[in-house]
Amino acid sequence: MDNPKKGTSRRDFLKTSGIAAGALVGGGVLGGLVGYNAKGGNGKSGGEQTKDPANKHEMQTRGLMFFQNPEEFNVLSQATERIFPEDDLGPGAIGLGVPYFIDNQLAGNYGSNAKEYMQGPFFNGEATQGYQSRLTRAEIFRQGIALMDEEANKRFKKNFTDLEGGQMDEILTDFQKNQIDMKGVSSEFFFKLLRQATLEGAYADPIYNGNANMEGWKMKGFPGHQMAYINVIEDEKFQVIEPKSISSMQH
Amino acid sequence: MAKTLDKVDVVTVGVGWTGGIIAAECAKQGMKVRGLERGKERGTKNYAMIHDEYRYAIRYELMQDLSRETITFRNNLKMRPLPMRQMGSFLLGENLGGAGTHWNGMTYRFLPYDFQIKTETEKKYGKNKLSSDYLLQDWGITYDELEPYFDKFEKTIGLSGEDTNPFWGKRTSDFPTPPMKKTPLLKKFEKATKDLGYHPYMVPSANLSEPYENPDGSKINACQYCGFCERFGCEYGAKSSPEVTVVPAALKTGNYDITFHANVVEVLKKGNKVTGVRYIDTQTGEEFIQPADVVVLTSYIMNNAKLLMVSDIGEQYDPNTGKGTLGKNYCYQIEPGATGFFDDQMNVFMGAGALGMTIDDFNGDSFDHSNEGFIHGASISFTQSGTRPILSNPVPSDVPVWGAEFKKASIENYTRSLSVFGQGASMPHKNNYLALDSNYKDRYGVPLLQMTYNFTEQDRNLHKFITDKTVKIMKEMGAKKTEGGNPLTDYDIVPYQSTHNTGGTTMGADPNTSVVNNYLQHWDMENLFVVGAGNFNHNSGYNPTATVGALAYRTAEGIQKYREKGGMLA
């Protein structure tokens, strides 16, 4: 099929049609995954490097691709942590690297709405008509984060990152309930984006720079990328399986 | 200035299930067939890193790029139609295989009752069971007439199943492969429904239970139950899709080729015939004219309808006068269901797209509707298709949707909750229809398709009735806490519901009430065929693909008949 002008021989086709069934094993072996030192605290930007002992040549650095002002990033970090906090089950959004995930996504297709229909004219539609903003997600996040800080200063004479948890929640709740005026988008819509992006960062494959060390998956009991469950799916017992990242295929 | 290419016998617009089936059948007969596909080539080799929920299920890697083309939507005639700017309610396909790449593989034949729904309803419940606002009609073909085509489609895809359902139509042959594995969770549903007096059976699955070679010599592998099926492609070639069945079968003949990056913008016509199509090469912007003896519209229902509209073929339906047929009977599906919360952890992350069990005790006309404010019903199923952590955060309705309590409850319940769901039939209503939008255009300057759609009284009554049944089943399954879905209000295009959009290019026995005849041949243009779920006059309580596949085989036969004798086939 590589050359659409040329018919494909059956042998060529079978060659590309996947792995012969039966040659597979279920269960998981820990692939060499690059993990992060999950850090609590306020997720200061800057490089966090880890070496994976199984792959000495492997080295990754987390950094900011979208935000230019670390303060914005810190507001985002604290907001995501309130949505998905650290607790006795395990790390929260900051420990999982969620703010980096969101930053990186905002710098790419997600942030620039590459696959969304963005032609005008723009009108405020009914709720049933969905996204009708002329703003991209990147613009919505930037505005929303600035407003969070503004609200904090207005209400508490402090920056958002200096607030108590309960005070942050009060502001976030007002966003959620559409009580905050935003330009070109509703605050409720921004909050939905923020909440959804937080969950995405907590549970997406670590290749996207969130879900550090697969801790999100470990908390949830999700084994990530496993080749097959054919050997265990009839088992009555709940299967605890060491998770694997899609990146384990490259080692 | 468009460049005119050499004529082919048959050109198809779009290469998914319908385009692939027609290509394979016509090319095997020696016809020169060309598929025009707006997207890219792709196949099993592209699905090696498919176990990635974020990329494929959230960011829709395999699906339509809405920046190029979308639809506009409104609930009713009074509302301003606005673009669907991001994907939500349904997931449109793109590239080789279309939505046939990222389907789940649940493959039910529609019921005998479906094809004669108007006749059957009037016979049993009188002429006024539903008001005249509901545009119910027979399909111009019976189940028995379609049976050989269903049979052919099932043999092509190697369908895995068991013929133990008392409610569906007669089969001339057994399923090509046995049903999938009956897992502990499926057995839970089976026992509960049996104890309630219902008739559970294994979902007919296109994720195959064993390796299979189809009559064309295409090989499909055995499903590995990896839990990444719907919204994904299969890295094993174990989910029947156009890329592993009909497309290679067509290519093998040497009579078929595919032009990728070819976005068709118009069907060309002369008198009562079409002469070919005009397309834009999306990589260069050049325009081409592809002449053909027979043109077949084989894209998704939206684009099949849109192309007829922009090419001014047939009469646009007008809800104010009831005149016209093109765009009418747009239907969808109703999604009643219940979630149950359990104490013990379960292997919810394992599974396959069509791994499940179903009951039809409340589908079609399996039960008496005399005292109900609706007709038809829903299949009710439990499927173990593999729940994934971003999209599955089940919490009881009294738990907040973020914060400490949400985190705890969503993690706790991820492996401790199950859902039973109905796929509710959708009846055509005079105010639910497709047309061309007058304000918004796609990247090629062609108007967007406009959808006007809302749920109806029939939908609300059906939804409530089926929701109650699913709650009952879930309680019987032993949930410590069960929650039925919220009552149906207005249709909302934001949350995912179902990619089972139907109607707009309906089939029938009468040109005054349908767009195509029962060979899917256009009433006004004898060498134009239009095939897909758009041909449905209403949507049943099942997934549509088996019926779409059967209609595609029927179309292929129609094209052969037409080449032999010409003229109208029905």
Side-chain angles (χ1 to χ4, degrees), chain A residues 83 85 88 91 105 115 117 119 121 128-129 132 176 195 208 220 225 227 239, chain B residues 52 54 60 73 75 80 83 85 236 347 389 393 401-403 407-408 440-441:
Chain A
I83 290 169
D88 57 338
Q105 289 300 310
K115 276 184 86 173
Y117 185 83
Q119 293 179 40
T128 56
Q129 294 172 297
Q132 294 300 336
Q176 184 190 9
R195 174 192 177 267
Y208 298 101
K220 227 168 175 174
H225 156 70
M227 291 306 289
Q239 303 288 308
Chain B
D52 182 341
Y54 185 62
Y60 310 130
F73 160 71
N75 286 114
R80 184 202 302 267
R85 296 187 178 278
Y236 295 109
N347 295 315
N393 290 286
V401 296
W402 59 279
K407 181 188 175 188
K408 260 205 164 37
Y440 294 93
K441 292 191 164 58

mmCIF file of all heavy atoms in Angstrom, chain A residues 83 85 88 91 105 115 117 119 121 128-129 132 176 195 208 220 225 227 239, chain B residues 52 54 60 73 75 80 83 85 236 347 389 393 401-403 407-408 440-441:
data_model
loop_
_atom_site.group_PDB
_atom_site.id
_atom_site.type_symbol
_atom_site.label_atom_id
_atom_site.label_comp_id
_atom_site.label_asym_id
_atom_site.label_seq_id
_atom_site.Cartn_x
_atom_site.Cartn_y
_atom_site.Cartn_z
ATOM 1 N N ILE A 83 -7.186 21.141 41.919
ATOM 2 C CA ILE A 83 -8.116 20.260 41.189
ATOM 3 C C ILE A 83 -7.783 18.798 41.453
ATOM 4 O O ILE A 83 -8.666 17.964 41.611
ATOM 5 C CB ILE A 83 -8.063 20.582 39.671
ATOM 6 C CG1 ILE A 83 -8.708 21.958 39.421
ATOM 7 C CG2 ILE A 83 -8.755 19.508 38.839
ATOM 8 C CD1 ILE A 83 -8.494 22.506 38.020
ATOM 9 N N PRO A 85 -5.288 17.153 44.034
ATOM 10 C CA PRO A 85 -4.289 17.385 45.083
ATOM 11 C C PRO A 85 -3.521 16.119 45.483
ATOM 12 O O PRO A 85 -4.010 15.004 45.322
ATOM 13 C CB PRO A 85 -5.126 17.889 46.253
ATOM 14 C CG PRO A 85 -6.485 17.305 46.039
ATOM 15 C CD PRO A 85 -6.656 17.093 44.556
ATOM 16 N N ASP A 88 -3.016 10.817 50.538
ATOM 17 C CA ASP A 88 -2.379 9.568 50.969
ATOM 18 C C ASP A 88 -2.297 8.530 49.853
ATOM 19 O O ASP A 88 -1.543 7.568 49.937
ATOM 20 C CB ASP A 88 -3.093 9.002 52.205
ATOM 21 C CG ASP A 88 -4.580 8.774 51.950
ATOM 22 O OD1 ASP A 88 -5.129 9.412 51.015
ATOM 23 O OD2 ASP A 88 -5.202 7.960 52.657
ATOM 24 N N PRO A 91 0.850 11.311 44.601
ATOM 25 C CA PRO A 91 1.094 12.694 44.209
ATOM 26 C C PRO A 91 -0.132 13.385 43.612
ATOM 27 O O PRO A 91 -1.040 12.732 43.104
ATOM 28 C CB PRO A 91 2.206 12.584 43.163
ATOM 29 C CG PRO A 91 2.232 11.160 42.732
ATOM 30 C CD PRO A 91 1.693 10.359 43.867
ATOM 31 N N GLN A 105 1.587 21.229 25.959
ATOM 32 C CA GLN A 105 0.440 21.106 25.064
ATOM 33 C C GLN A 105 0.007 22.472 24.519
ATOM 34 O O GLN A 105 -0.341 22.601 23.347
ATOM 35 C CB GLN A 105 -0.745 20.435 25.786
ATOM 36 C CG GLN A 105 -0.532 18.949 26.050
ATOM 37 C CD GLN A 105 -0.319 18.155 24.775
ATOM 38 O OE1 GLN A 105 -1.100 18.265 23.824
ATOM 39 N NE2 GLN A 105 0.745 17.374 24.726
ATOM 40 N N LYS A 115 -6.604 21.534 14.896
ATOM 41 C CA LYS A 115 -7.593 20.650 14.264
ATOM 42 C C LYS A 115 -9.025 21.126 14.501
ATOM 43 O O LYS A 115 -9.972 20.387 14.275
ATOM 44 C CB LYS A 115 -7.421 19.210 14.777
ATOM 45 C CG LYS A 115 -6.341 18.441 14.022
ATOM 46 C CD LYS A 115 -6.252 16.984 14.481
ATOM 47 C CE LYS A 115 -7.239 16.093 13.732
ATOM 48 N NZ LYS A 115 -7.028 14.655 14.051
ATOM 49 N N TYR A 117 -12.208 23.988 13.907
ATOM 50 C CA TYR A 117 -12.704 24.932 12.906
ATOM 51 C C TYR A 117 -12.706 26.327 13.521
ATOM 52 O O TYR A 117 -13.463 26.600 14.452
ATOM 53 C CB TYR A 117 -14.123 24.532 12.484
ATOM 54 C CG TYR A 117 -14.692 25.379 11.367
ATOM 55 C CD1 TYR A 117 -14.392 25.107 10.037
ATOM 56 C CD2 TYR A 117 -15.555 26.444 11.640
ATOM 57 C CE1 TYR A 117 -14.932 25.860 9.006
ATOM 58 C CE2 TYR A 117 -16.097 27.209 10.616
ATOM 59 C CZ TYR A 117 -15.781 26.912 9.300
ATOM 60 O OH TYR A 117 -16.312 27.667 8.284
ATOM 61 N N GLN A 119 -12.867 29.388 11.701
ATOM 62 C CA GLN A 119 -13.281 30.469 10.800
ATOM 63 C C GLN A 119 -14.491 31.202 11.382
ATOM 64 O O GLN A 119 -15.368 30.583 11.961
ATOM 65 C CB GLN A 119 -13.666 29.895 9.430
ATOM 66 C CG GLN A 119 -12.484 29.296 8.674
ATOM 67 C CD GLN A 119 -12.924 28.720 7.326
ATOM 68 O OE1 GLN A 119 -13.739 29.305 6.628
ATOM 69 N NE2 GLN A 119 -12.394 27.558 6.976
ATOM 70 N N PRO A 121 -17.874 33.945 10.888
ATOM 71 C CA PRO A 121 -18.088 34.841 12.027
ATOM 72 C C PRO A 121 -18.345 34.076 13.341
ATOM 73 O O PRO A 121 -18.847 32.969 13.323
ATOM 74 C CB PRO A 121 -19.332 35.630 11.615
ATOM 75 C CG PRO A 121 -20.031 34.786 10.607
ATOM 76 C CD PRO A 121 -18.987 33.980 9.921
ATOM 77 N N THR A 128 -25.670 24.102 23.936
ATOM 78 C CA THR A 128 -25.705 22.841 23.177
ATOM 79 C C THR A 128 -24.855 22.901 21.908
ATOM 80 O O THR A 128 -24.655 21.892 21.246
ATOM 81 C CB THR A 128 -27.147 22.480 22.756
ATOM 82 O OG1 THR A 128 -27.689 23.577 22.002
ATOM 83 C CG2 THR A 128 -28.028 22.199 23.962
ATOM 84 N N GLN A 129 -24.383 24.123 21.543
ATOM 85 C CA GLN A 129 -23.593 24.269 20.322
ATOM 86 C C GLN A 129 -22.086 24.259 20.585
ATOM 87 O O GLN A 129 -21.295 24.324 19.645
ATOM 88 C CB GLN A 129 -23.994 25.552 19.579
ATOM 89 C CG GLN A 129 -25.427 25.489 19.044
ATOM 90 C CD GLN A 129 -25.902 26.822 18.476
ATOM 91 O OE1 GLN A 129 -25.995 27.813 19.199
ATOM 92 N NE2 GLN A 129 -26.177 26.843 17.180
ATOM 93 N N GLN A 132 -17.574 28.187 20.918
ATOM 94 C CA GLN A 132 -17.827 29.227 19.921
ATOM 95 C C GLN A 132 -16.916 30.434 20.105
ATOM 96 O O GLN A 132 -17.206 31.530 19.634
ATOM 97 C CB GLN A 132 -19.301 29.670 19.957
ATOM 98 C CG GLN A 132 -20.294 28.589 19.521
ATOM 99 C CD GLN A 132 -20.071 28.093 18.097
ATOM 100 O OE1 GLN A 132 -19.506 28.790 17.256
ATOM 101 N NE2 GLN A 132 -20.503 26.870 17.822
ATOM 102 N N GLN A 176 -15.717 28.224 37.823
ATOM 103 C CA GLN A 176 -16.548 27.083 37.453
ATOM 104 C C GLN A 176 -18.017 27.488 37.317
ATOM 105 O O GLN A 176 -18.717 27.018 36.429
ATOM 106 C CB GLN A 176 -16.404 25.991 38.530
ATOM 107 C CG GLN A 176 -17.147 24.694 38.217
ATOM 108 C CD GLN A 176 -17.176 23.744 39.415
ATOM 109 O OE1 GLN A 176 -16.782 24.109 40.528
ATOM 110 N NE2 GLN A 176 -17.646 22.531 39.184
ATOM 111 N N ARG A 195 -9.757 21.859 34.033
ATOM 112 C CA ARG A 195 -10.003 20.581 34.728
ATOM 113 C C ARG A 195 -9.651 19.401 33.833
ATOM 114 O O ARG A 195 -8.975 18.466 34.252
ATOM 115 C CB ARG A 195 -11.475 20.503 35.148
ATOM 116 C CG ARG A 195 -11.845 19.161 35.752
ATOM 117 C CD ARG A 195 -13.358 18.981 35.906
ATOM 118 N NE ARG A 195 -13.677 17.654 36.426
ATOM 119 C CZ ARG A 195 -13.947 16.613 35.653
ATOM 120 N NH1 ARG A 195 -13.922 16.729 34.332
ATOM 121 N NH2 ARG A 195 -14.232 15.431 36.193
ATOM 122 N N TYR A 208 4.235 12.441 27.362
ATOM 123 C CA TYR A 208 3.742 13.819 27.237
ATOM 124 C C TYR A 208 4.161 14.700 28.413
ATOM 125 O O TYR A 208 3.665 15.814 28.572
ATOM 126 C CB TYR A 208 2.219 13.829 27.074
ATOM 127 C CG TYR A 208 1.780 13.109 25.826
ATOM 128 C CD1 TYR A 208 1.272 11.805 25.884
ATOM 129 C CD2 TYR A 208 1.917 13.702 24.574
ATOM 130 C CE1 TYR A 208 0.904 11.127 24.734
ATOM 131 C CE2 TYR A 208 1.545 13.036 23.417
ATOM 132 C CZ TYR A 208 1.049 11.748 23.499
ATOM 133 O OH TYR A 208 0.689 11.073 22.363
ATOM 134 N N LYS A 220 -4.278 4.511 40.087
ATOM 135 C CA LYS A 220 -5.568 4.095 39.556
ATOM 136 C C LYS A 220 -5.650 2.601 39.266
ATOM 137 O O LYS A 220 -6.739 2.064 39.041
ATOM 138 C CB LYS A 220 -5.843 4.879 38.271
ATOM 139 C CG LYS A 220 -7.256 5.453 38.243
ATOM 140 C CD LYS A 220 -7.448 6.450 37.136
ATOM 141 C CE LYS A 220 -8.915 6.853 37.115
ATOM 142 N NZ LYS A 220 -9.213 7.924 36.186
ATOM 143 N N HIS A 225 0.368 0.661 28.702
ATOM 144 C CA HIS A 225 0.531 -0.051 27.441
ATOM 145 C C HIS A 225 0.937 -1.495 27.691
ATOM 146 O O HIS A 225 2.063 -1.760 28.079
ATOM 147 C CB HIS A 225 1.589 0.693 26.609
ATOM 148 C CG HIS A 225 2.276 -0.165 25.600
ATOM 149 N ND1 HIS A 225 1.638 -0.650 24.486
ATOM 150 C CD2 HIS A 225 3.545 -0.635 25.544
ATOM 151 C CE1 HIS A 225 2.490 -1.384 23.785
ATOM 152 N NE2 HIS A 225 3.645 -1.384 24.406
ATOM 153 N N MET A 227 0.790 -5.355 25.797
ATOM 154 C CA MET A 227 0.562 -5.926 24.470
ATOM 155 C C MET A 227 -0.757 -6.682 24.387
ATOM 156 O O MET A 227 -1.436 -6.644 23.370
ATOM 157 C CB MET A 227 1.712 -6.865 24.083
ATOM 158 C CG MET A 227 3.032 -6.156 23.836
ATOM 159 S SD MET A 227 2.930 -4.801 22.625
ATOM 160 C CE MET A 227 2.702 -5.738 21.117
ATOM 161 N N GLN A 239 -6.249 -8.163 38.486
ATOM 162 C CA GLN A 239 -4.848 -8.299 38.104
ATOM 163 C C GLN A 239 -4.081 -7.019 38.429
ATOM 164 O O GLN A 239 -4.417 -5.946 37.926
ATOM 165 C CB GLN A 239 -4.738 -8.562 36.598
ATOM 166 C CG GLN A 239 -5.507 -9.792 36.132
ATOM 167 C CD GLN A 239 -4.858 -11.092 36.576
ATOM 168 O OE1 GLN A 239 -3.676 -11.319 36.350
ATOM 169 N NE2 GLN A 239 -5.641 -11.949 37.225
ATOM 170 N N ASP B 52 -2.253 4.563 23.261
ATOM 171 C CA ASP B 52 -1.974 5.919 23.705
ATOM 172 C C ASP B 52 -3.301 6.668 23.750
ATOM 173 O O ASP B 52 -3.769 7.200 22.746
ATOM 174 C CB ASP B 52 -0.989 6.567 22.714
ATOM 175 C CG ASP B 52 -0.584 7.981 23.100
ATOM 176 O OD1 ASP B 52 -1.294 8.619 23.904
ATOM 177 O OD2 ASP B 52 0.434 8.460 22.572
ATOM 178 N N TYR B 54 -4.227 9.424 25.127
ATOM 179 C CA TYR B 54 -4.250 10.870 24.894
ATOM 180 C C TYR B 54 -4.234 11.208 23.401
ATOM 181 O O TYR B 54 -5.059 11.992 22.921
ATOM 182 C CB TYR B 54 -3.062 11.538 25.608
ATOM 183 C CG TYR B 54 -3.115 13.047 25.499
ATOM 184 C CD1 TYR B 54 -4.184 13.752 26.042
ATOM 185 C CD2 TYR B 54 -2.125 13.755 24.830
ATOM 186 C CE1 TYR B 54 -4.266 15.130 25.927
ATOM 187 C CE2 TYR B 54 -2.190 15.142 24.712
ATOM 188 C CZ TYR B 54 -3.271 15.822 25.261
ATOM 189 O OH TYR B 54 -3.358 17.184 25.140
ATOM 190 N N TYR B 60 -7.890 12.775 19.036
ATOM 191 C CA TYR B 60 -8.516 12.296 17.806
ATOM 192 C C TYR B 60 -7.554 12.174 16.617
ATOM 193 O O TYR B 60 -7.849 12.622 15.507
ATOM 194 C CB TYR B 60 -9.679 13.220 17.396
ATOM 195 C CG TYR B 60 -10.671 13.528 18.491
ATOM 196 C CD1 TYR B 60 -11.044 14.844 18.768
ATOM 197 C CD2 TYR B 60 -11.242 12.512 19.247
ATOM 198 C CE1 TYR B 60 -11.969 15.136 19.768
ATOM 199 C CE2 TYR B 60 -12.172 12.803 20.246
ATOM 200 C CZ TYR B 60 -12.519 14.110 20.489
ATOM 201 O OH TYR B 60 -13.441 14.404 21.465
ATOM 202 N N PHE B 73 -24.579 23.487 13.247
ATOM 203 C CA PHE B 73 -25.608 22.795 14.016
ATOM 204 C C PHE B 73 -26.521 23.785 14.723
ATOM 205 O O PHE B 73 -26.083 24.836 15.196
ATOM 206 C CB PHE B 73 -24.942 21.866 15.043
ATOM 207 C CG PHE B 73 -25.851 21.483 16.179
ATOM 208 C CD1 PHE B 73 -26.912 20.611 15.969
ATOM 209 C CD2 PHE B 73 -25.677 22.021 17.448
ATOM 210 C CE1 PHE B 73 -27.781 20.285 17.008
ATOM 211 C CE2 PHE B 73 -26.538 21.696 18.490
ATOM 212 C CZ PHE B 73 -27.587 20.820 18.268
ATOM 213 N N ASN B 75 -30.427 23.359 17.257
ATOM 214 C CA ASN B 75 -31.436 22.430 17.757
ATOM 215 C C ASN B 75 -32.765 22.554 17.022
ATOM 216 O O ASN B 75 -33.506 21.587 16.930
ATOM 217 C CB ASN B 75 -31.699 22.664 19.250
ATOM 218 C CG ASN B 75 -30.572 22.149 20.124
ATOM 219 O OD1 ASN B 75 -29.877 22.912 20.781
ATOM 220 N ND2 ASN B 75 -30.386 20.839 20.136
ATOM 221 N N ARG B 80 -29.780 30.129 15.748
ATOM 222 C CA ARG B 80 -28.776 30.446 14.725
ATOM 223 C C ARG B 80 -27.828 29.237 14.560
ATOM 224 O O ARG B 80 -27.237 28.800 15.549
ATOM 225 C CB ARG B 80 -27.954 31.662 15.167
ATOM 226 C CG ARG B 80 -26.942 32.123 14.117
ATOM 227 C CD ARG B 80 -25.807 32.926 14.739
ATOM 228 N NE ARG B 80 -26.232 34.117 15.472
ATOM 229 C CZ ARG B 80 -26.312 35.329 14.935
ATOM 230 N NH1 ARG B 80 -26.002 35.513 13.677
ATOM 231 N NH2 ARG B 80 -26.689 36.348 15.692
ATOM 232 N N PRO B 83 -21.013 26.675 13.720
ATOM 233 C CA PRO B 83 -20.141 25.538 13.405
ATOM 234 C C PRO B 83 -19.876 24.648 14.623
ATOM 235 O O PRO B 83 -19.770 25.149 15.752
ATOM 236 C CB PRO B 83 -18.829 26.191 12.962
ATOM 237 C CG PRO B 83 -19.119 27.625 12.755
ATOM 238 C CD PRO B 83 -20.327 27.970 13.549
ATOM 239 N N ARG B 85 -17.175 23.431 16.219
ATOM 240 C CA ARG B 85 -15.775 23.848 16.095
ATOM 241 C C ARG B 85 -14.807 22.785 16.590
ATOM 242 O O ARG B 85 -13.652 22.754 16.198
ATOM 243 C CB ARG B 85 -15.553 25.177 16.823
ATOM 244 C CG ARG B 85 -16.357 26.316 16.185
ATOM 245 C CD ARG B 85 -16.032 27.679 16.780
ATOM 246 N NE ARG B 85 -16.798 28.723 16.093
ATOM 247 C CZ ARG B 85 -16.449 29.275 14.937
ATOM 248 N NH1 ARG B 85 -15.349 28.880 14.319
ATOM 249 N NH2 ARG B 85 -17.200 30.209 14.389
ATOM 250 N N TYR B 236 -2.724 -5.465 15.560
ATOM 251 C CA TYR B 236 -2.639 -6.886 15.241
ATOM 252 C C TYR B 236 -3.337 -7.231 13.924
ATOM 253 O O TYR B 236 -3.283 -8.367 13.487
ATOM 254 C CB TYR B 236 -3.280 -7.715 16.359
ATOM 255 C CG TYR B 236 -2.549 -7.611 17.667
ATOM 256 C CD1 TYR B 236 -3.103 -6.924 18.753
ATOM 257 C CD2 TYR B 236 -1.286 -8.185 17.816
ATOM 258 C CE1 TYR B 236 -2.420 -6.819 19.955
ATOM 259 C CE2 TYR B 236 -0.600 -8.080 19.011
ATOM 260 C CZ TYR B 236 -1.164 -7.398 20.078
ATOM 261 O OH TYR B 236 -0.487 -7.301 21.261
ATOM 262 N N ASN B 347 -11.284 -6.149 36.435
ATOM 263 C CA ASN B 347 -10.321 -5.914 35.360
ATOM 264 C C ASN B 347 -10.943 -5.088 34.227
ATOM 265 O O ASN B 347 -11.018 -5.535 33.077
ATOM 266 C CB ASN B 347 -9.796 -7.254 34.828
ATOM 267 C CG ASN B 347 -9.009 -7.996 35.886
ATOM 268 O OD1 ASN B 347 -8.179 -7.409 36.572
ATOM 269 N ND2 ASN B 347 -9.266 -9.289 36.029
ATOM 270 N N PRO B 389 -7.904 5.645 31.720
ATOM 271 C CA PRO B 389 -7.972 6.522 32.899
ATOM 272 C C PRO B 389 -8.338 7.982 32.636
ATOM 273 O O PRO B 389 -8.887 8.628 33.522
ATOM 274 C CB PRO B 389 -6.562 6.424 33.485
ATOM 275 C CG PRO B 389 -5.691 6.020 32.355
ATOM 276 C CD PRO B 389 -6.528 5.167 31.466
ATOM 277 N N ASN B 393 -13.589 8.416 34.822
ATOM 278 C CA ASN B 393 -13.478 8.896 36.206
ATOM 279 C C ASN B 393 -14.841 8.828 36.864
ATOM 280 O O ASN B 393 -15.422 9.854 37.231
ATOM 281 C CB ASN B 393 -12.948 10.342 36.220
ATOM 282 C CG ASN B 393 -11.493 10.401 35.795
ATOM 283 O OD1 ASN B 393 -10.601 10.027 36.545
ATOM 284 N ND2 ASN B 393 -11.260 10.837 34.563
ATOM 285 N N VAL B 401 -16.850 17.461 41.157
ATOM 286 C CA VAL B 401 -16.115 17.012 39.968
ATOM 287 C C VAL B 401 -14.633 17.405 40.002
ATOM 288 O O VAL B 401 -13.924 17.224 39.031
ATOM 289 C CB VAL B 401 -16.762 17.505 38.650
ATOM 290 C CG1 VAL B 401 -18.155 16.901 38.486
ATOM 291 C CG2 VAL B 401 -16.802 19.025 38.590
ATOM 292 N N TRP B 402 -14.158 18.000 41.098
ATOM 293 C CA TRP B 402 -12.725 18.278 41.234
ATOM 294 C C TRP B 402 -12.381 18.410 42.703
ATOM 295 O O TRP B 402 -13.274 18.534 43.544
ATOM 296 C CB TRP B 402 -12.305 19.528 40.451
ATOM 297 C CG TRP B 402 -13.004 20.809 40.839
ATOM 298 C CD1 TRP B 402 -14.246 21.204 40.426
ATOM 299 C CD2 TRP B 402 -12.516 21.855 41.694
ATOM 300 N NE1 TRP B 402 -14.559 22.432 40.980
ATOM 301 C CE2 TRP B 402 -13.506 22.857 41.752
ATOM 302 C CE3 TRP B 402 -11.325 22.046 42.416
ATOM 303 C CZ2 TRP B 402 -13.359 24.036 42.491
ATOM 304 C CZ3 TRP B 402 -11.171 23.220 43.155
ATOM 305 C CH2 TRP B 402 -12.185 24.203 43.184
ATOM 306 N N GLY B 403 -11.072 18.358 43.006
ATOM 307 C CA GLY B 403 -10.641 18.509 44.398
ATOM 308 C C GLY B 403 -10.385 17.165 45.066
ATOM 309 O O GLY B 403 -10.451 16.105 44.438
ATOM 310 N N LYS B 407 -10.798 13.316 43.612
ATOM 311 C CA LYS B 407 -9.635 12.465 43.321
ATOM 312 C C LYS B 407 -9.809 11.090 43.967
ATOM 313 O O LYS B 407 -9.645 10.060 43.312
ATOM 314 C CB LYS B 407 -8.343 13.128 43.807
ATOM 315 C CG LYS B 407 -7.103 12.293 43.494
ATOM 316 C CD LYS B 407 -5.840 12.836 44.143
ATOM 317 C CE LYS B 407 -4.670 11.884 43.894
ATOM 318 N NZ LYS B 407 -3.465 12.258 44.639
ATOM 319 N N LYS B 408 -10.157 11.085 45.245
ATOM 320 C CA LYS B 408 -10.318 9.814 45.975
ATOM 321 C C LYS B 408 -11.390 8.939 45.331
ATOM 322 O O LYS B 408 -11.162 7.765 45.058
ATOM 323 C CB LYS B 408 -10.721 10.115 47.425
ATOM 324 C CG LYS B 408 -9.556 10.034 48.396
ATOM 325 C CD LYS B 408 -10.006 9.725 49.811
ATOM 326 C CE LYS B 408 -8.851 9.259 50.669
ATOM 327 N NZ LYS B 408 -7.557 9.921 50.419
ATOM 328 N N TYR B 440 -21.278 29.568 6.474
ATOM 329 C CA TYR B 440 -19.946 29.018 6.743
ATOM 330 C C TYR B 440 -19.488 28.083 5.621
ATOM 331 O O TYR B 440 -20.292 27.369 5.038
ATOM 332 C CB TYR B 440 -19.947 28.266 8.078
ATOM 333 C CG TYR B 440 -20.166 29.172 9.262
ATOM 334 C CD1 TYR B 440 -21.442 29.397 9.773
ATOM 335 C CD2 TYR B 440 -19.094 29.827 9.869
ATOM 336 C CE1 TYR B 440 -21.652 30.239 10.861
ATOM 337 C CE2 TYR B 440 -19.291 30.669 10.958
ATOM 338 C CZ TYR B 440 -20.576 30.868 11.447
ATOM 339 O OH TYR B 440 -20.769 31.692 12.526
ATOM 340 N N LYS B 441 -18.172 28.140 5.355
ATOM 341 C CA LYS B 441 -17.619 27.330 4.267
ATOM 342 C C LYS B 441 -16.453 26.476 4.750
ATOM 343 O O LYS B 441 -15.822 26.780 5.762
ATOM 344 C CB LYS B 441 -17.130 28.253 3.143
ATOM 345 C CG LYS B 441 -18.279 28.971 2.440
ATOM 346 C CD LYS B 441 -17.793 29.664 1.174
ATOM 347 C CE LYS B 441 -18.946 30.042 0.258
ATOM 348 N NZ LYS B 441 -19.932 30.923 0.905
#
